[in-house]
Amino acid sequence: VAIPESTPEVAPETEAPRFELIEELFFTVPKEHRPQKDNIFKDACKQMGARYAPTDRLKAGHGVKISLYRPCNGPNLQDCLDFNERKGGLLAGPEGLLLSWFHCGEDLPAEKWLHCLDNEIRLPKDEHGNPRILSIFKSLMPRINEMPHMVRVDGPISDKNCLMVLTYI
């Protein structure tokens, strides 16, 4: 189910739109969801680092709303984290990304890098100290680039990205 929003989020200091709602989707975390025992979740977390665990684990049996936003006017990672916090979003990292992909992949926007954030202090860094997040590129071509990749987030975030804000319903 997609619900359009008419007004983009505006940064108070610039009055320029920073995030535009694309759509909202919903899914329920499966009752049998145990990320610590599922290899795909364990592998995704290993890409983040040996001791990585998301700030917010998604709770089995709970409904989740995915609000999908297009970044406008080049927000940086901190802007995205602040926006996620203002919206009451969970910091579910790869777990949120993968569960969203499994349950709503067909309905996610195409030709975008999909990101589900976590607290910046939990994110791995590249050799230059830039934070990295696990992302999936949703292609128009089925089964192309649909594997999670670590991407660097060190500057303005373009509109080729899609910020996923997950909240419980």
Side-chain angles (χ1 to χ4, degrees), residues 87-125:
K87 293 294 185 181
L90 300 165
L91 295 170
E95 182 181 357
L97 175 68
L98 292 172
L99 277 174
S100 297
W101 181 261
F102 294 148
H103 294 284
C104 301
E106 292 290 320
D107 297 320
L108 293 170
E111 298 302 304
K112 301 278 185 197
W113 281 99
L114 304 165
H115 309 291
C116 185
L117 300 177
D118 200 348
N119 192 321
E120 188 171 0
I121 62 170
R122 291 184 181 257
L123 298 177
K125 307 287 189 273

PDB file of all heavy atoms in Angstrom, residues 87-125:
ATOM      1  N   LYS A  87      11.442  11.515  12.918  1.00  0.00           N
ATOM      2  CA  LYS A  87      10.317  10.691  12.477  1.00  0.00           C
ATOM      3  C   LYS A  87      10.061   9.499  13.408  1.00  0.00           C
ATOM      4  O   LYS A  87       9.149   8.725  13.174  1.00  0.00           O
ATOM      5  CB  LYS A  87      10.559  10.184  11.049  1.00  0.00           C
ATOM      6  CG  LYS A  87      10.557  11.283  10.012  1.00  0.00           C
ATOM      7  CD  LYS A  87       9.186  11.906   9.909  1.00  0.00           C
ATOM      8  CE  LYS A  87       9.080  12.932   8.822  1.00  0.00           C
ATOM      9  NZ  LYS A  87       7.758  13.536   8.739  1.00  0.00           N
ATOM     10  N   GLY A  88      10.887   9.355  14.454  1.00  0.00           N
ATOM     11  CA  GLY A  88      10.720   8.231  15.380  1.00  0.00           C
ATOM     12  C   GLY A  88      11.169   6.908  14.793  1.00  0.00           C
ATOM     13  O   GLY A  88      10.706   5.842  15.204  1.00  0.00           O
ATOM     14  N   GLY A  89      12.099   6.970  13.813  1.00  0.00           N
ATOM     15  CA  GLY A  89      12.557   5.771  13.117  1.00  0.00           C
ATOM     16  C   GLY A  89      13.458   4.891  13.956  1.00  0.00           C
ATOM     17  O   GLY A  89      14.193   5.363  14.827  1.00  0.00           O
ATOM     18  N   LEU A  90      13.384   3.608  13.669  1.00  0.00           N
ATOM     19  CA  LEU A  90      14.259   2.628  14.304  1.00  0.00           C
ATOM     20  C   LEU A  90      15.624   2.670  13.629  1.00  0.00           C
ATOM     21  O   LEU A  90      15.729   2.990  12.447  1.00  0.00           O
ATOM     22  CB  LEU A  90      13.660   1.229  14.160  1.00  0.00           C
ATOM     23  CG  LEU A  90      12.280   1.039  14.783  1.00  0.00           C
ATOM     24  CD1 LEU A  90      11.645  -0.248  14.273  1.00  0.00           C
ATOM     25  CD2 LEU A  90      12.402   1.026  16.294  1.00  0.00           C
ATOM     26  N   LEU A  91      16.655   2.341  14.365  1.00  0.00           N
ATOM     27  CA  LEU A  91      18.008   2.219  13.824  1.00  0.00           C
ATOM     28  C   LEU A  91      18.297   0.730  13.659  1.00  0.00           C
ATOM     29  O   LEU A  91      19.007   0.116  14.440  1.00  0.00           O
ATOM     30  CB  LEU A  91      19.013   2.910  14.749  1.00  0.00           C
ATOM     31  CG  LEU A  91      18.826   4.424  14.853  1.00  0.00           C
ATOM     32  CD1 LEU A  91      19.685   5.003  15.975  1.00  0.00           C
ATOM     33  CD2 LEU A  91      19.139   5.097  13.531  1.00  0.00           C
ATOM     34  N   ALA A  92      17.696   0.153  12.615  1.00  0.00           N
ATOM     35  CA  ALA A  92      17.703  -1.299  12.432  1.00  0.00           C
ATOM     36  C   ALA A  92      18.782  -1.790  11.481  1.00  0.00           C
ATOM     37  O   ALA A  92      18.968  -3.001  11.341  1.00  0.00           O
ATOM     38  CB  ALA A  92      16.329  -1.756  11.947  1.00  0.00           C
ATOM     39  N   GLY A  93      19.488  -0.906  10.799  1.00  0.00           N
ATOM     40  CA  GLY A  93      20.608  -1.287   9.946  1.00  0.00           C
ATOM     41  C   GLY A  93      20.283  -2.398   8.959  1.00  0.00           C
ATOM     42  O   GLY A  93      19.201  -2.419   8.375  1.00  0.00           O
ATOM     43  N   PRO A  94      21.215  -3.341   8.754  1.00  0.00           N
ATOM     44  CA  PRO A  94      21.029  -4.409   7.779  1.00  0.00           C
ATOM     45  C   PRO A  94      19.794  -5.263   8.046  1.00  0.00           C
ATOM     46  O   PRO A  94      19.152  -5.729   7.111  1.00  0.00           O
ATOM     47  CB  PRO A  94      22.298  -5.255   7.905  1.00  0.00           C
ATOM     48  CG  PRO A  94      23.302  -4.366   8.504  1.00  0.00           C
ATOM     49  CD  PRO A  94      22.557  -3.402   9.372  1.00  0.00           C
ATOM     50  N   GLU A  95      19.458  -5.475   9.304  1.00  0.00           N
ATOM     51  CA  GLU A  95      18.277  -6.287   9.611  1.00  0.00           C
ATOM     52  C   GLU A  95      17.023  -5.633   9.036  1.00  0.00           C
ATOM     53  O   GLU A  95      16.199  -6.290   8.398  1.00  0.00           O
ATOM     54  CB  GLU A  95      18.144  -6.461  11.124  1.00  0.00           C
ATOM     55  CG  GLU A  95      16.980  -7.331  11.519  1.00  0.00           C
ATOM     56  CD  GLU A  95      16.832  -7.481  13.022  1.00  0.00           C
ATOM     57  OE1 GLU A  95      17.669  -6.956  13.788  1.00  0.00           O
ATOM     58  OE2 GLU A  95      15.863  -8.124  13.428  1.00  0.00           O
ATOM     59  N   GLY A  96      16.879  -4.332   9.230  1.00  0.00           N
ATOM     60  CA  GLY A  96      15.729  -3.617   8.685  1.00  0.00           C
ATOM     61  C   GLY A  96      15.744  -3.597   7.168  1.00  0.00           C
ATOM     62  O   GLY A  96      14.698  -3.769   6.516  1.00  0.00           O
ATOM     63  N   LEU A  97      16.926  -3.390   6.584  1.00  0.00           N
ATOM     64  CA  LEU A  97      17.069  -3.382   5.132  1.00  0.00           C
ATOM     65  C   LEU A  97      16.640  -4.723   4.547  1.00  0.00           C
ATOM     66  O   LEU A  97      15.836  -4.787   3.619  1.00  0.00           O
ATOM     67  CB  LEU A  97      18.522  -3.069   4.762  1.00  0.00           C
ATOM     68  CG  LEU A  97      18.879  -3.131   3.280  1.00  0.00           C
ATOM     69  CD1 LEU A  97      18.207  -2.004   2.508  1.00  0.00           C
ATOM     70  CD2 LEU A  97      20.387  -3.072   3.098  1.00  0.00           C
ATOM     71  N   LEU A  98      17.163  -5.814   5.098  1.00  0.00           N
ATOM     72  CA  LEU A  98      16.879  -7.134   4.536  1.00  0.00           C
ATOM     73  C   LEU A  98      15.433  -7.563   4.760  1.00  0.00           C
ATOM     74  O   LEU A  98      14.806  -8.119   3.856  1.00  0.00           O
ATOM     75  CB  LEU A  98      17.848  -8.168   5.111  1.00  0.00           C
ATOM     76  CG  LEU A  98      19.302  -7.981   4.660  1.00  0.00           C
ATOM     77  CD1 LEU A  98      20.229  -8.914   5.419  1.00  0.00           C
ATOM     78  CD2 LEU A  98      19.440  -8.187   3.157  1.00  0.00           C
ATOM     79  N   LEU A  99      14.885  -7.313   5.935  1.00  0.00           N
ATOM     80  CA  LEU A  99      13.480  -7.672   6.151  1.00  0.00           C
ATOM     81  C   LEU A  99      12.563  -6.862   5.236  1.00  0.00           C
ATOM     82  O   LEU A  99      11.593  -7.396   4.686  1.00  0.00           O
ATOM     83  CB  LEU A  99      13.070  -7.466   7.609  1.00  0.00           C
ATOM     84  CG  LEU A  99      13.418  -8.609   8.552  1.00  0.00           C
ATOM     85  CD1 LEU A  99      13.106  -8.237   9.990  1.00  0.00           C
ATOM     86  CD2 LEU A  99      12.684  -9.888   8.173  1.00  0.00           C
ATOM     87  N   SER A 100      12.873  -5.594   5.041  1.00  0.00           N
ATOM     88  CA  SER A 100      12.090  -4.767   4.121  1.00  0.00           C
ATOM     89  C   SER A 100      12.186  -5.332   2.700  1.00  0.00           C
ATOM     90  O   SER A 100      11.193  -5.407   1.974  1.00  0.00           O
ATOM     91  CB  SER A 100      12.593  -3.322   4.131  1.00  0.00           C
ATOM     92  OG  SER A 100      12.423  -2.748   5.405  1.00  0.00           O
ATOM     93  N   TRP A 101      13.387  -5.728   2.324  1.00  0.00           N
ATOM     94  CA  TRP A 101      13.613  -6.297   0.992  1.00  0.00           C
ATOM     95  C   TRP A 101      12.833  -7.598   0.812  1.00  0.00           C
ATOM     96  O   TRP A 101      12.163  -7.797  -0.196  1.00  0.00           O
ATOM     97  CB  TRP A 101      15.102  -6.536   0.784  1.00  0.00           C
ATOM     98  CG  TRP A 101      15.423  -7.082  -0.561  1.00  0.00           C
ATOM     99  CD1 TRP A 101      15.665  -8.387  -0.895  1.00  0.00           C
ATOM    100  CD2 TRP A 101      15.522  -6.346  -1.774  1.00  0.00           C
ATOM    101  NE1 TRP A 101      15.914  -8.507  -2.228  1.00  0.00           N
ATOM    102  CE2 TRP A 101      15.825  -7.259  -2.801  1.00  0.00           C
ATOM    103  CE3 TRP A 101      15.375  -5.000  -2.084  1.00  0.00           C
ATOM    104  CZ2 TRP A 101      15.995  -6.864  -4.126  1.00  0.00           C
ATOM    105  CZ3 TRP A 101      15.541  -4.614  -3.403  1.00  0.00           C
ATOM    106  CH2 TRP A 101      15.849  -5.544  -4.404  1.00  0.00           C
ATOM    107  N   PHE A 102      12.902  -8.484   1.804  1.00  0.00           N
ATOM    108  CA  PHE A 102      12.219  -9.775   1.701  1.00  0.00           C
ATOM    109  C   PHE A 102      10.703  -9.611   1.611  1.00  0.00           C
ATOM    110  O   PHE A 102      10.040 -10.332   0.878  1.00  0.00           O
ATOM    111  CB  PHE A 102      12.542 -10.672   2.896  1.00  0.00           C
ATOM    112  CG  PHE A 102      13.979 -11.103   2.964  1.00  0.00           C
ATOM    113  CD1 PHE A 102      14.578 -11.315   4.189  1.00  0.00           C
ATOM    114  CD2 PHE A 102      14.749 -11.295   1.834  1.00  0.00           C
ATOM    115  CE1 PHE A 102      15.909 -11.703   4.286  1.00  0.00           C
ATOM    116  CE2 PHE A 102      16.078 -11.684   1.912  1.00  0.00           C
ATOM    117  CZ  PHE A 102      16.656 -11.889   3.145  1.00  0.00           C
ATOM    118  N   HIS A 103      10.160  -8.677   2.361  1.00  0.00           N
ATOM    119  CA  HIS A 103       8.706  -8.555   2.451  1.00  0.00           C
ATOM    120  C   HIS A 103       8.101  -7.557   1.469  1.00  0.00           C
ATOM    121  O   HIS A 103       6.923  -7.681   1.131  1.00  0.00           O
ATOM    122  CB  HIS A 103       8.298  -8.201   3.882  1.00  0.00           C
ATOM    123  CG  HIS A 103       8.593  -9.305   4.835  1.00  0.00           C
ATOM    124  ND1 HIS A 103       7.827 -10.440   4.927  1.00  0.00           N
ATOM    125  CD2 HIS A 103       9.612  -9.480   5.703  1.00  0.00           C
ATOM    126  CE1 HIS A 103       8.344 -11.254   5.819  1.00  0.00           C
ATOM    127  NE2 HIS A 103       9.436 -10.693   6.309  1.00  0.00           N
ATOM    128  N   CYS A 104       8.867  -6.581   1.017  1.00  0.00           N
ATOM    129  CA  CYS A 104       8.316  -5.522   0.159  1.00  0.00           C
ATOM    130  C   CYS A 104       9.164  -5.251  -1.070  1.00  0.00           C
ATOM    131  O   CYS A 104       8.971  -4.233  -1.739  1.00  0.00           O
ATOM    132  CB  CYS A 104       8.171  -4.225   0.970  1.00  0.00           C
ATOM    133  SG  CYS A 104       7.107  -4.355   2.403  1.00  0.00           S
ATOM    134  N   GLY A 105      10.106  -6.136  -1.388  1.00  0.00           N
ATOM    135  CA  GLY A 105      11.062  -5.888  -2.469  1.00  0.00           C
ATOM    136  C   GLY A 105      10.440  -5.490  -3.790  1.00  0.00           C
ATOM    137  O   GLY A 105      10.928  -4.589  -4.463  1.00  0.00           O
ATOM    138  N   GLU A 106       9.352  -6.140  -4.172  1.00  0.00           N
ATOM    139  CA  GLU A 106       8.694  -5.822  -5.440  1.00  0.00           C
ATOM    140  C   GLU A 106       8.173  -4.390  -5.466  1.00  0.00           C
ATOM    141  O   GLU A 106       8.092  -3.768  -6.515  1.00  0.00           O
ATOM    142  CB  GLU A 106       7.541  -6.794  -5.693  1.00  0.00           C
ATOM    143  CG  GLU A 106       7.982  -8.205  -5.961  1.00  0.00           C
ATOM    144  CD  GLU A 106       8.672  -8.355  -7.312  1.00  0.00           C
ATOM    145  OE1 GLU A 106       8.212  -7.733  -8.291  1.00  0.00           O
ATOM    146  OE2 GLU A 106       9.675  -9.084  -7.375  1.00  0.00           O
ATOM    147  N   ASP A 107       7.796  -3.861  -4.312  1.00  0.00           N
ATOM    148  CA  ASP A 107       7.181  -2.537  -4.238  1.00  0.00           C
ATOM    149  C   ASP A 107       8.175  -1.422  -3.919  1.00  0.00           C
ATOM    150  O   ASP A 107       7.789  -0.247  -3.925  1.00  0.00           O
ATOM    151  CB  ASP A 107       6.080  -2.535  -3.167  1.00  0.00           C
ATOM    152  CG  ASP A 107       4.960  -3.504  -3.518  1.00  0.00           C
ATOM    153  OD1 ASP A 107       4.588  -3.572  -4.707  1.00  0.00           O
ATOM    154  OD2 ASP A 107       4.468  -4.194  -2.610  1.00  0.00           O
ATOM    155  N   LEU A 108       9.426  -1.766  -3.630  1.00  0.00           N
ATOM    156  CA  LEU A 108      10.425  -0.739  -3.329  1.00  0.00           C
ATOM    157  C   LEU A 108      10.787   0.019  -4.602  1.00  0.00           C
ATOM    158  O   LEU A 108      10.716  -0.537  -5.702  1.00  0.00           O
ATOM    159  CB  LEU A 108      11.669  -1.380  -2.709  1.00  0.00           C
ATOM    160  CG  LEU A 108      11.451  -1.986  -1.324  1.00  0.00           C
ATOM    161  CD1 LEU A 108      12.669  -2.800  -0.893  1.00  0.00           C
ATOM    162  CD2 LEU A 108      11.129  -0.918  -0.301  1.00  0.00           C
ATOM    163  N   PRO A 109      11.155   1.299  -4.482  1.00  0.00           N
ATOM    164  CA  PRO A 109      11.449   2.091  -5.680  1.00  0.00           C
ATOM    165  C   PRO A 109      12.673   1.567  -6.431  1.00  0.00           C
ATOM    166  O   PRO A 109      13.668   1.190  -5.823  1.00  0.00           O
ATOM    167  CB  PRO A 109      11.693   3.500  -5.139  1.00  0.00           C
ATOM    168  CG  PRO A 109      11.912   3.346  -3.686  1.00  0.00           C
ATOM    169  CD  PRO A 109      11.301   2.057  -3.260  1.00  0.00           C
ATOM    170  N   ALA A 110      12.556   1.561  -7.770  1.00  0.00           N
ATOM    171  CA  ALA A 110      13.636   1.057  -8.622  1.00  0.00           C
ATOM    172  C   ALA A 110      14.641   2.153  -8.934  1.00  0.00           C
ATOM    173  O   ALA A 110      14.357   3.348  -8.808  1.00  0.00           O
ATOM    174  CB  ALA A 110      13.052   0.503  -9.918  1.00  0.00           C
ATOM    175  N   GLU A 111      15.832   1.693  -9.341  1.00  0.00           N
ATOM    176  CA  GLU A 111      16.942   2.572  -9.717  1.00  0.00           C
ATOM    177  C   GLU A 111      17.387   3.452  -8.561  1.00  0.00           C
ATOM    178  O   GLU A 111      17.789   4.601  -8.751  1.00  0.00           O
ATOM    179  CB  GLU A 111      16.587   3.410 -10.948  1.00  0.00           C
ATOM    180  CG  GLU A 111      16.300   2.567 -12.184  1.00  0.00           C
ATOM    181  CD  GLU A 111      17.453   1.658 -12.590  1.00  0.00           C
ATOM    182  OE1 GLU A 111      18.566   2.175 -12.803  1.00  0.00           O
ATOM    183  OE2 GLU A 111      17.249   0.433 -12.690  1.00  0.00           O
ATOM    184  N   LYS A 112      17.328   2.907  -7.351  1.00  0.00           N
ATOM    185  CA  LYS A 112      17.740   3.618  -6.137  1.00  0.00           C
ATOM    186  C   LYS A 112      18.607   2.694  -5.287  1.00  0.00           C
ATOM    187  O   LYS A 112      18.423   1.485  -5.261  1.00  0.00           O
ATOM    188  CB  LYS A 112      16.532   4.026  -5.295  1.00  0.00           C
ATOM    189  CG  LYS A 112      15.535   4.908  -5.973  1.00  0.00           C
ATOM    190  CD  LYS A 112      15.962   6.341  -5.946  1.00  0.00           C
ATOM    191  CE  LYS A 112      14.877   7.229  -6.521  1.00  0.00           C
ATOM    192  NZ  LYS A 112      15.387   8.526  -6.872  1.00  0.00           N
ATOM    193  N   TRP A 113      19.541   3.313  -4.548  1.00  0.00           N
ATOM    194  CA  TRP A 113      20.248   2.620  -3.477  1.00  0.00           C
ATOM    195  C   TRP A 113      19.379   2.747  -2.239  1.00  0.00           C
ATOM    196  O   TRP A 113      19.047   3.859  -1.822  1.00  0.00           O
ATOM    197  CB  TRP A 113      21.613   3.257  -3.228  1.00  0.00           C
ATOM    198  CG  TRP A 113      22.643   2.840  -4.226  1.00  0.00           C
ATOM    199  CD1 TRP A 113      23.049   3.536  -5.320  1.00  0.00           C
ATOM    200  CD2 TRP A 113      23.385   1.626  -4.223  1.00  0.00           C
ATOM    201  NE1 TRP A 113      24.011   2.826  -5.995  1.00  0.00           N
ATOM    202  CE2 TRP A 113      24.229   1.650  -5.343  1.00  0.00           C
ATOM    203  CE3 TRP A 113      23.410   0.516  -3.375  1.00  0.00           C
ATOM    204  CZ2 TRP A 113      25.098   0.608  -5.639  1.00  0.00           C
ATOM    205  CZ3 TRP A 113      24.290  -0.519  -3.682  1.00  0.00           C
ATOM    206  CH2 TRP A 113      25.114  -0.467  -4.797  1.00  0.00           C
ATOM    207  N   LEU A 114      18.985   1.637  -1.664  1.00  0.00           N
ATOM    208  CA  LEU A 114      18.116   1.608  -0.493  1.00  0.00           C
ATOM    209  C   LEU A 114      18.970   1.532   0.758  1.00  0.00           C
ATOM    210  O   LEU A 114      19.867   0.685   0.855  1.00  0.00           O
ATOM    211  CB  LEU A 114      17.180   0.401  -0.571  1.00  0.00           C
ATOM    212  CG  LEU A 114      16.329   0.339  -1.845  1.00  0.00           C
ATOM    213  CD1 LEU A 114      15.717  -1.037  -2.012  1.00  0.00           C
ATOM    214  CD2 LEU A 114      15.263   1.416  -1.823  1.00  0.00           C
ATOM    215  N   HIS A 115      18.691   2.406   1.738  1.00  0.00           N
ATOM    216  CA  HIS A 115      19.462   2.474   2.976  1.00  0.00           C
ATOM    217  C   HIS A 115      18.541   2.410   4.175  1.00  0.00           C
ATOM    218  O   HIS A 115      17.553   3.133   4.249  1.00  0.00           O
ATOM    219  CB  HIS A 115      20.238   3.798   3.086  1.00  0.00           C
ATOM    220  CG  HIS A 115      21.054   4.144   1.899  1.00  0.00           C
ATOM    221  ND1 HIS A 115      22.172   3.450   1.539  1.00  0.00           N
ATOM    222  CD2 HIS A 115      20.921   5.124   0.982  1.00  0.00           C
ATOM    223  CE1 HIS A 115      22.695   3.989   0.455  1.00  0.00           C
ATOM    224  NE2 HIS A 115      21.943   5.005   0.094  1.00  0.00           N
ATOM    225  N   CYS A 116      18.888   1.575   5.129  1.00  0.00           N
ATOM    226  CA  CYS A 116      18.246   1.555   6.437  1.00  0.00           C
ATOM    227  C   CYS A 116      19.364   1.841   7.435  1.00  0.00           C
ATOM    228  O   CYS A 116      20.316   1.074   7.547  1.00  0.00           O
ATOM    229  CB  CYS A 116      17.584   0.208   6.703  1.00  0.00           C
ATOM    230  SG  CYS A 116      16.655   0.144   8.236  1.00  0.00           S
ATOM    231  N   LEU A 117      19.267   2.955   8.123  1.00  0.00           N
ATOM    232  CA  LEU A 117      20.386   3.467   8.908  1.00  0.00           C
ATOM    233  C   LEU A 117      20.546   2.818  10.273  1.00  0.00           C
ATOM    234  O   LEU A 117      19.627   2.192  10.793  1.00  0.00           O
ATOM    235  CB  LEU A 117      20.225   4.975   9.099  1.00  0.00           C
ATOM    236  CG  LEU A 117      20.189   5.791   7.824  1.00  0.00           C
ATOM    237  CD1 LEU A 117      19.949   7.252   8.150  1.00  0.00           C
ATOM    238  CD2 LEU A 117      21.450   5.608   7.011  1.00  0.00           C
ATOM    239  N   ASP A 118      21.715   3.023  10.818  1.00  0.00           N
ATOM    240  CA  ASP A 118      22.012   2.699  12.203  1.00  0.00           C
ATOM    241  C   ASP A 118      22.810   3.869  12.763  1.00  0.00           C
ATOM    242  O   ASP A 118      23.261   4.745  12.024  1.00  0.00           O
ATOM    243  CB  ASP A 118      22.803   1.390  12.314  1.00  0.00           C
ATOM    244  CG  ASP A 118      22.719   0.772  13.699  1.00  0.00           C
ATOM    245  OD1 ASP A 118      22.242   1.449  14.641  1.00  0.00           O
ATOM    246  OD2 ASP A 118      23.140  -0.384  13.860  1.00  0.00           O
ATOM    247  N   ASN A 119      22.986   3.864  14.058  1.00  0.00           N
ATOM    248  CA  ASN A 119      23.735   4.910  14.746  1.00  0.00           C
ATOM    249  C   ASN A 119      25.138   5.005  14.146  1.00  0.00           C
ATOM    250  O   ASN A 119      25.801   3.982  13.950  1.00  0.00           O
ATOM    251  CB  ASN A 119      23.791   4.560  16.236  1.00  0.00           C
ATOM    252  CG  ASN A 119      24.286   5.682  17.077  1.00  0.00           C
ATOM    253  OD1 ASN A 119      25.199   6.402  16.693  1.00  0.00           O
ATOM    254  ND2 ASN A 119      23.695   5.831  18.233  1.00  0.00           N
ATOM    255  N   GLU A 120      25.599   6.215  13.881  1.00  0.00           N
ATOM    256  CA  GLU A 120      26.890   6.390  13.207  1.00  0.00           C
ATOM    257  C   GLU A 120      28.047   5.749  13.971  1.00  0.00           C
ATOM    258  O   GLU A 120      28.980   5.233  13.358  1.00  0.00           O
ATOM    259  CB  GLU A 120      27.182   7.871  12.953  1.00  0.00           C
ATOM    260  CG  GLU A 120      28.407   8.062  12.097  1.00  0.00           C
ATOM    261  CD  GLU A 120      28.620   9.484  11.630  1.00  0.00           C
ATOM    262  OE1 GLU A 120      27.811  10.363  11.955  1.00  0.00           O
ATOM    263  OE2 GLU A 120      29.626   9.705  10.931  1.00  0.00           O
ATOM    264  N   ILE A 121      28.011   5.747  15.295  1.00  0.00           N
ATOM    265  CA  ILE A 121      29.119   5.144  16.049  1.00  0.00           C
ATOM    266  C   ILE A 121      29.181   3.633  15.855  1.00  0.00           C
ATOM    267  O   ILE A 121      30.223   3.031  16.074  1.00  0.00           O
ATOM    268  CB  ILE A 121      29.060   5.489  17.553  1.00  0.00           C
ATOM    269  CG1 ILE A 121      27.788   4.952  18.197  1.00  0.00           C
ATOM    270  CG2 ILE A 121      29.207   6.966  17.782  1.00  0.00           C
ATOM    271  CD1 ILE A 121      27.777   5.033  19.709  1.00  0.00           C
ATOM    272  N   ARG A 122      28.097   3.008  15.408  1.00  0.00           N
ATOM    273  CA  ARG A 122      28.099   1.565  15.149  1.00  0.00           C
ATOM    274  C   ARG A 122      28.546   1.213  13.738  1.00  0.00           C
ATOM    275  O   ARG A 122      28.818   0.061  13.447  1.00  0.00           O
ATOM    276  CB  ARG A 122      26.709   0.989  15.391  1.00  0.00           C
ATOM    277  CG  ARG A 122      26.311   0.997  16.838  1.00  0.00           C
ATOM    278  CD  ARG A 122      24.954   0.321  16.989  1.00  0.00           C
ATOM    279  NE  ARG A 122      24.541   0.331  18.358  1.00  0.00           N
ATOM    280  CZ  ARG A 122      24.600  -0.717  19.170  1.00  0.00           C
ATOM    281  NH1 ARG A 122      25.058  -1.867  18.738  1.00  0.00           N
ATOM    282  NH2 ARG A 122      24.190  -0.615  20.412  1.00  0.00           N
ATOM    283  N   LEU A 123      28.584   2.212  12.853  1.00  0.00           N
ATOM    284  CA  LEU A 123      28.911   1.937  11.454  1.00  0.00           C
ATOM    285  C   LEU A 123      30.406   1.686  11.283  1.00  0.00           C
ATOM    286  O   LEU A 123      31.228   2.367  11.885  1.00  0.00           O
ATOM    287  CB  LEU A 123      28.494   3.115  10.575  1.00  0.00           C
ATOM    288  CG  LEU A 123      27.005   3.449  10.542  1.00  0.00           C
ATOM    289  CD1 LEU A 123      26.771   4.688   9.691  1.00  0.00           C
ATOM    290  CD2 LEU A 123      26.187   2.279  10.041  1.00  0.00           C
ATOM    291  N   PRO A 124      30.754   0.716  10.415  1.00  0.00           N
ATOM    292  CA  PRO A 124      32.177   0.522  10.114  1.00  0.00           C
ATOM    293  C   PRO A 124      32.696   1.713   9.312  1.00  0.00           C
ATOM    294  O   PRO A 124      31.926   2.463   8.717  1.00  0.00           O
ATOM    295  CB  PRO A 124      32.183  -0.756   9.272  1.00  0.00           C
ATOM    296  CG  PRO A 124      30.819  -0.847   8.692  1.00  0.00           C
ATOM    297  CD  PRO A 124      29.891  -0.191   9.669  1.00  0.00           C
ATOM    298  N   LYS A 125      34.002   1.863   9.303  1.00  0.00           N
ATOM    299  CA  LYS A 125      34.648   2.962   8.589  1.00  0.00           C
ATOM    300  C   LYS A 125      35.556   2.386   7.502  1.00  0.00           C
ATOM    301  O   LYS A 125      36.105   1.300   7.650  1.00  0.00           O
ATOM    302  CB  LYS A 125      35.499   3.807   9.547  1.00  0.00           C
ATOM    303  CG  LYS A 125      34.778   4.307  10.789  1.00  0.00           C
ATOM    304  CD  LYS A 125      33.807   5.410  10.486  1.00  0.00           C
ATOM    305  CE  LYS A 125      33.245   6.065  11.723  1.00  0.00           C
ATOM    306  NZ  LYS A 125      32.086   5.465  12.297  1.00  0.00           N
TER     307      LYS A 125
END
